[in-house]
């Protein structure tokens, strides 16, 4: 679903018109809600990627990674996983070698901004974004519509909890002794 599809679906569920003028009125607020949902779902499913970087003198600046890094999961150097630790400055990671590193990390997906943007999350998760947007919009209304917001957010949280066990790989549940 594109951002425009998400907004139109949310407006339809809110029993509001979804003509061009109405979409324009609600676009900014609903886009903000859609990005909040996207980030929440990305953290829940553990959206990860691996990028190859070259540290400088054994120090890796995580700001040089192509995507905003939420958490470094593992680093491979010289063909094996290596221990790493944070430096005294934020966003700096100390590595044992000064060679190319494969950094596996959790990241935030690109924010949705234009009408044609498509979320980087799986297509199966896009309806959950709509549910979250509808819930947040109803929560901002008067007292009579806030109850409906609670229902939509409960449906969103229930579906989100079911995702946790199904979208992980087998080694996500391993216990590692790091000492």
């Amino acid at each position: 679903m594109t951002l425009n599809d998400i907004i139109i679906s949310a407006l339809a569920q809110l029993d509001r018109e979804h003509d061009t003028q109405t979409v324009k009125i609600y676009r900014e607020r609903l886009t903000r809600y859609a990005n909040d949902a996207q980030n929440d779902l990305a953290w829940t499913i553990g959206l990860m990627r691996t990028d190859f970087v070259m540290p400088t003198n054994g120090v890796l600046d995580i700001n040089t990674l192509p995507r905003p890094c939420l958490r470094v999961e593992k680093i491979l150097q010289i063909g094996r996983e290596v221990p790493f630790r944070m430096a005294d400055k934020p966003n700096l990671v100390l590595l044992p070698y000064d060679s190319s590193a494969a950094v596996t990390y959790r990241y935030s997906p690109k924010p949705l901004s234009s009408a044609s943007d498509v979320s980087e999350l799986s297509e199966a998760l896009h309806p959950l974004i709509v549910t979250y947007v509808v819930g947040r919009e109803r929560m901002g209304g008067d007292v009579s519509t806030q109850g409906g917001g609670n229902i939509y957010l409960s449906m969103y949280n229930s579906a989100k909890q079911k995702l946790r066990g199904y979208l992980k790989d087998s080694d996500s549940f391993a216990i590692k002794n790091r000492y």
Side-chain angles (χ1 to χ4, degrees):
M1 295 176 89
T2 64
L3 175 60
N4 204 44
D5 295 336
I6 291 170
I7 292 172
I8 289 172
S9 296
L11 289 173
Q13 289 185 31
L14 289 164
D15 294 327
R16 296 183 183 149
E17 296 293 322
H18 46 274
D19 57 79
T20 308
Q21 183 64 28
T22 307
V23 170
K24 186 177 178 181
I25 292 170
Y26 288 101
R27 177 173 302 284
E28 184 181 338
R29 184 171 58 232
L30 298 185
T31 299
R32 216 173 33 247
Y33 297 158
N35 284 323
D36 288 347
Q38 180 178 250
N39 288 335
D40 185 41
L41 289 170
W43 182 257
T44 299
I45 64 172
L47 192 60
M48 286 195 271
R49 65 182 279 148
T50 301
D51 288 312
F52 293 91
V53 293
M54 188 66 180
T56 307
N57 298 325
V59 178
L60 168 68
D61 184 358
I62 60 174
N63 291 329
T64 62
L65 294 169
R67 296 296 176 78
C69 178
L70 299 176
R71 176 180 169 172
V72 175
E73 294 291 332
K74 70 179 178 180
I75 299 177
L76 298 174
Q77 278 187 313
I78 314 174
R80 63 185 175 96
E81 190 171 343
V82 294
F84 61 91
R85 59 189 173 96
M86 299 305 292
D88 55 348
K89 293 183 181 177
N91 299 323
L92 295 181
V93 177
L94 301 176
L95 299 174
Y97 307 108
D98 192 26
S99 65
S100 178
V103 181
T104 302
Y105 60 101
R106 287 187 178 200
Y107 71 97
S108 295
K110 289 181 183 176
L112 303 171
S113 58
S114 72
S116 61
D117 285 352
V118 177
S119 176
E120 294 176 338
L121 298 174
S122 167
E123 190 77 28
L125 298 177
H126 293 184
L128 279 178
I129 295 173
V130 174
T131 303
Y132 181 85
V133 169
V134 172
R136 285 281 302 270
E137 181 63 19
R138 286 189 185 263
M139 290 296 289
D142 61 7
V143 177
S144 64
T145 63
Q146 287 178 355
N150 287 339
I151 292 169
Y152 275 93
L153 292 177
S154 294
M155 291 185 327
Y156 168 79
N157 284 323
S158 175
K160 187 174 79 166
Q161 286 177 347
K162 291 178 184 175
L163 292 175
R164 292 189 178 146
Y166 297 109
L167 295 178
K168 301 280 184 176
D169 52 0
S170 60
D171 67 347
S172 295
F173 303 101
I175 298 173
K176 292 183 180 180
N177 184 358
R178 293 185 61 149
Y179 302 101

